[in-house]
């Protein structure tokens, strides 16, 4: 599809709203959908606009959770009467659920105008215009990737940090996950293209990037270089002005010693790792079709801690997978105690339609899953608190963030992320500080999910990222951060959780 196809401008400035569900991939895809729409002449609906006030509402869906379709159709149902009363309003549905359900969506919700899949998000403006002109629903689901998404224009959500996709798709066959079937086999970007995007972002003021992939450290399998990911980390370390590099989500199977060495030896590679466990039981891991076992997982954690002593390690865990016994669950608790995760994103197993696990025998009763889940959460809360208490008395550099502290206004604090991605709330200094700037603070208190620095700020370092944030927010309202081909400035949400996310690593 050519740029002229994408850029079919609408006759008047129509507003749009994008509602995103699921993982970081979807969040980043929504940045691209915003960029596409703004390049085509749409404007973003104002913050706080009421339900159904935008001219175009786009649902970027997730198919991972059991009730994903119920959530979508409930939202579509609420919009039906609004659409009837507003001639010209359009509704589009994309993402993983659209890729899976295809024609089902317009059968259940015939007032939907456009359905598009994970492989052809670049077609959205054209499909909206076609639906408007022809006055009928347009359903277009590509079976394979039409173009790597990073070639599309992107409207980034902030000015100091950005997602950078290095691959799309996944070659794993985990029995609980439908994502590989919906996003396809892994396809890697050329290293030169990735680094060119990172350099362009840094030139715009970005100081933190997160390398993004469904199985990020498998990068290189598609281009025939088993050490491509560690080389990429080291190459990012050579980019002047890039202060922080993170990545998500890796897979224990592909997490090799050269990656650990690159993390330890690259100054801007942050001392933080999200390493999905899913289960501590070898029997359950085998049933999940996860290609590692407990000993291998704990061995990785041990090596990371030896190379990067202050690394904060987080994880994903599924409780109540079919066939999980009490002994299996105790093995998960054992790994949690041994690994001492800074944070764990815990999920009660729910059937993912279309996955092998949904048809397995030994589905665990809900009350059993709930009880185990509560035990796991209680243990992890205790460990998270103990690990955070070790930070008390330390002096940390914190990158100021936007929207991280819900109570900042009432407490006269600001919030940001330490190098290891821990959330830090700190006393507002006497000098101006902007998102993207860096402050030095001493930690005085720890809670399970955040740290406090209640004393005076030791230092404030104004940064190019802060300048970029200030420039963006001083500009009049207009389509911001859109370039054809190479995305501009932006911010990913703090790692690694998006509600109802894939948890596929």
């Amino acid at each position: 599809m050519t740029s002229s196809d994408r850029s079919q401008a609408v006759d008047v400035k129509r507003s749009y709203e994008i509602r995103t569900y699921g993982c970081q991939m979807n969040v980043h895809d929504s940045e691209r959908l915003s960029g596409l729409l703004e390049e085509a002449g749409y404007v973003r609906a104002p913050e706080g606009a009421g339900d159904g006030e935008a001219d175009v509402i786009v649902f970027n869906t997730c198919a991972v959770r059991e009730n994903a379709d119920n959530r979508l159709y409930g939202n579509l149902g609420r919009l039906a009467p609004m659409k009837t009363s507003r001639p010209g309003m359009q509704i589009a549905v994309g993402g993983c659920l659209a890729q899976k359900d295809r024609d089902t969506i317009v059968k259940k919700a015939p007032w939907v105008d456009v359905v598009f899949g994970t492989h052809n998000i670049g077609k959205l403006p054209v499909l909206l215009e076609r639906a408007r002109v022809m006055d009928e629903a347009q359903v277009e689901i590509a079976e394979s990737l039409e173009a790597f998404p990073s070639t599309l224009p992107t409207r980034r959500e902030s000015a100091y940090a950005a997602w950078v996709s290095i691959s799309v798709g996944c070659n794993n066959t985990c029995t609980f996950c439908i994502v590989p079937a919906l996003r396809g086999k892994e396809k890697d970007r050329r290293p030169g293209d990735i680094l060119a995007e990172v350099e362009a972002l840094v030139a715009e003021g970005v100081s933190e990037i997160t390398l993004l992939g469904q199985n990020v450290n498998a990068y290189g399998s598609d281009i025939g270089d088993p050490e491509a990911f560690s080389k990429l980390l080291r190459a990012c370390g050579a980019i002047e002005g890039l202060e922080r590099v993170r990545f998500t989500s890796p897979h224990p199977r592909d997490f090799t010693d050269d990656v650990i060495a690159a993390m330890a030896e690259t100054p801007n590679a942050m001392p933080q790792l999200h390493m999905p466990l899913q289960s501590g039981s070898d029997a359950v891991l085998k049933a999940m079709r996860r290609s590692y076992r407990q000993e291998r997982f704990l061995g990785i954690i041990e090596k990371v801690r030896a190379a990067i002593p202050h690394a904060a390690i987080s994880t994903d865990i599924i409780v109540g997978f079919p066939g999980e016994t009490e002994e299996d669950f105790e093995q998960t608790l054992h790994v949690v105690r041994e690994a001492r995760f800074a944070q764990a994103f815990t999920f009660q197993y729910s059937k993912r339609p279309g996955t092998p696990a949904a048809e397995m025998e030994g589905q665990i009763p809900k009350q059993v899953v709930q009880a185990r889940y509560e035990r796991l959460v209680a243990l992890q809360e205790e460990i998270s608190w103990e690990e955070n208490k070790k930070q008390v008395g330390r002096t940390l550099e914190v990158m100021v963030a936007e929207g991280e502290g819900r109570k900042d206004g009432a407490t006269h604090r600001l919030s940001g992320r330490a190098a290891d991605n821990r959330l830090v709330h700190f006393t507002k200094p006497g000098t101006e500080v902007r998102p993207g700037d860096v402050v030095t603070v001493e930690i005085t208190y720890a809670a399970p999910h955040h740290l406090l620095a209640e004393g005076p700020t030791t230092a404030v370092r104004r940064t190019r990222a802060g300048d970029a944030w200030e420039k963006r927010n001083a500009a009049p309202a207009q389509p911001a951060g859109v370039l054809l081909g190479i995305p501009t400035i932006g911010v990913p949400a703090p790692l690694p959780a998006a509600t109802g996310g894939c948890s596929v690593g």
Side-chain angles (χ1 to χ4, degrees):
M1 182 178 55
T2 67
S3 176
S4 59
D5 288 333
R6 285 203 305 264
S7 303
Q8 290 187 12
V10 293
D11 295 331
V12 294
K13 294 288 186 182
R14 305 185 71 213
S15 62
Y16 75 90
E17 174 191 351
I18 297 177
R19 302 183 185 183
T20 308
Y21 306 105
C23 65
Q24 296 93 341
M25 285 288 191
N26 273 17
V27 173
H28 193 25
D29 281 349
S30 289
E31 291 183 328
R32 296 189 177 107
L33 293 171
S34 292
L36 284 159
L37 291 172
E38 291 186 6
E39 186 189 55
Y42 294 81
V43 296
R44 195 172 190 172
E47 291 291 333
D51 200 17
E53 288 186 16
D55 296 307
V56 174
I57 299 177
V58 183
F59 291 89
N60 190 7
T61 64
C62 172
V64 168
R65 308 308 294 172
E66 186 177 21
N67 64 349
D69 54 349
N70 293 334
R71 186 177 186 185
L72 171 66
Y73 293 120
N75 286 323
L76 291 176
R78 283 191 290 274
L79 289 175
M82 301 176 195
K83 190 171 189 294
T84 300
S85 64
R86 284 195 59 193
M89 178 181 173
Q90 290 183 295
I91 299 172
V93 179
C96 289
L97 191 63
Q99 187 78 22
K100 181 174 77 74
D101 283 1
R102 303 172 182 245
D103 295 328
T104 303
I105 293 173
V106 292
K107 289 178 181 176
K108 289 187 174 181
W111 53 93
V112 168
D113 298 276
V114 171
V115 179
F116 62 101
T118 59
H119 298 311
N120 63 331
I121 64 175
K123 288 285 186 68
L124 176 60
V126 172
L127 294 172
L128 285 168
E129 182 66 6
R130 193 184 299 164
R132 185 183 68 84
V133 171
M134 300 179 68
D135 196 26
E136 64 180 20
Q138 300 296 307
V139 179
E140 190 168 312
I141 306 292
E143 296 301 329
S144 60
L145 194 66
E146 293 185 344
F148 202 92
S150 288
T151 63
L152 302 175
T154 304
R155 185 197 194 280
R156 303 282 180 157
E157 290 301 319
S158 189
Y160 52 91
W163 302 113
V164 175
S165 288
I166 69 171
S167 64
V168 294
C170 181
N171 294 335
N172 294 319
T173 57
C174 302
T175 55
F176 57 80
C177 183
I178 198 171
V179 170
L182 302 179
R183 288 194 176 265
K185 293 291 185 180
E186 179 179 325
K187 293 187 181 298
D188 295 336
R189 293 177 71 190
R190 292 178 60 254
D193 292 342
I194 296 168
L195 294 172
E197 180 179 344
V198 174
E199 289 170 351
L201 288 163
V202 172
E204 291 284 352
V206 166
S207 59
E208 176 179 319
I209 60 108
T210 300
L211 303 174
L212 184 63
Q214 217 77 53
N215 181 4
V216 70
N217 61 311
Y219 176 74
S221 62
D222 187 44
I223 57 179
D225 184 353
E227 294 189 354
F229 185 63
S230 61
K231 293 175 182 176
L232 183 62
L233 283 178
R234 293 181 186 275
C236 287
I239 297 176
E240 186 176 353
L242 180 59
E243 297 192 17
R244 295 184 172 191
V245 178
R246 308 185 191 277
F247 58 88
T248 194
S249 284
H251 191 294
R253 182 195 66 186
D254 303 299
F255 204 80
T256 49
D257 290 349
D258 62 296
V259 174
I260 297 173
M263 290 178 64
E265 296 165 9
T266 304
N268 60 3
M270 292 296 94
Q272 174 239 335
L273 175 65
H274 183 69
M275 180 64 71
L277 169 65
Q278 309 303 7
S279 174
S281 162
D282 287 354
V284 173
L285 289 171
K286 182 178 180 180
M288 287 178 167
R289 224 179 278 158
R290 303 284 286 179
S291 50
Y292 58 89
R293 299 296 178 259
Q294 180 187 121
E295 182 179 5
R296 159 76 172 153
F297 186 91
L298 288 174
I300 292 171
I301 302 301
E302 184 178 0
K303 287 181 179 179
V304 170
R305 290 244 162 83
I308 314 167
H310 290 299
I313 301 174
S314 57
T315 195
D316 296 326
I317 300 174
I318 297 173
V319 178
F321 188 81
E324 180 188 74
T325 65
E326 179 63 24
E327 182 180 354
D328 291 326
F329 178 65
E330 286 291 344
Q331 288 299 305
T332 295
L333 297 181
H334 168 71
V335 174
V336 170
R337 294 187 186 100
E338 291 293 310
R340 298 196 66 79
F341 300 113
Q343 193 173 16
F345 298 89
T346 52
F347 304 87
Q348 296 186 42
Y349 173 78
S350 61
K351 291 183 179 181
R352 277 79 159 176
T355 63
E359 306 301 323
M360 286 182 177
E361 296 181 357
Q363 302 287 329
I364 311 298
K366 171 67 177 175
Q367 63 269 26
V368 175
V369 177
Q370 181 68 34
R372 290 176 183 171
Y373 176 79
E374 291 173 1
R375 288 163 59 194
L376 173 62
V377 169
L379 173 62
Q380 182 57 50
E381 287 278 303
E382 178 184 334
I383 292 172
S384 294
W385 200 358
E386 290 173 355
E387 292 301 305
N388 275 359
K389 286 177 182 177
K390 295 177 183 178
Q391 306 299 311
V392 174
R394 291 189 66 197
T395 298
L396 303 179
E397 279 200 339
V398 177
M399 183 179 288
V400 183
E402 187 172 29
E404 290 273 27
R406 290 174 295 176
K407 300 179 181 178
D408 282 352
T411 58
H412 303 289
R413 295 181 181 130
L414 296 175
S415 300
R417 294 276 168 175
D420 63 9
N421 210 41
R422 283 183 166 94
L423 177 62
V424 180
H425 304 301
F426 59 94
T427 302
K428 184 180 290 188
T431 57
E432 180 190 17
V433 62
R434 308 157 302 177
D437 288 339
V438 175
V439 299
T440 304
V441 298
E442 181 179 329
I443 303 304
T444 57
Y445 176 81
H449 302 292
H450 68 267
L451 304 173
L452 283 182
E454 298 166 299
T457 300
T458 306
V460 174
R461 177 163 60 87
R462 292 173 69 85
T463 65
R464 291 171 60 253
D467 294 342
W469 180 91
E470 187 172 21
K471 180 180 179 181
R472 170 182 283 199
N473 284 272
Q478 59 183 353
V482 179
L483 281 179
L484 181 61
I486 300 177
T488 61
I489 54 180
V491 59
L495 289 181
T499 56
C502 292
S503 182
V504 295

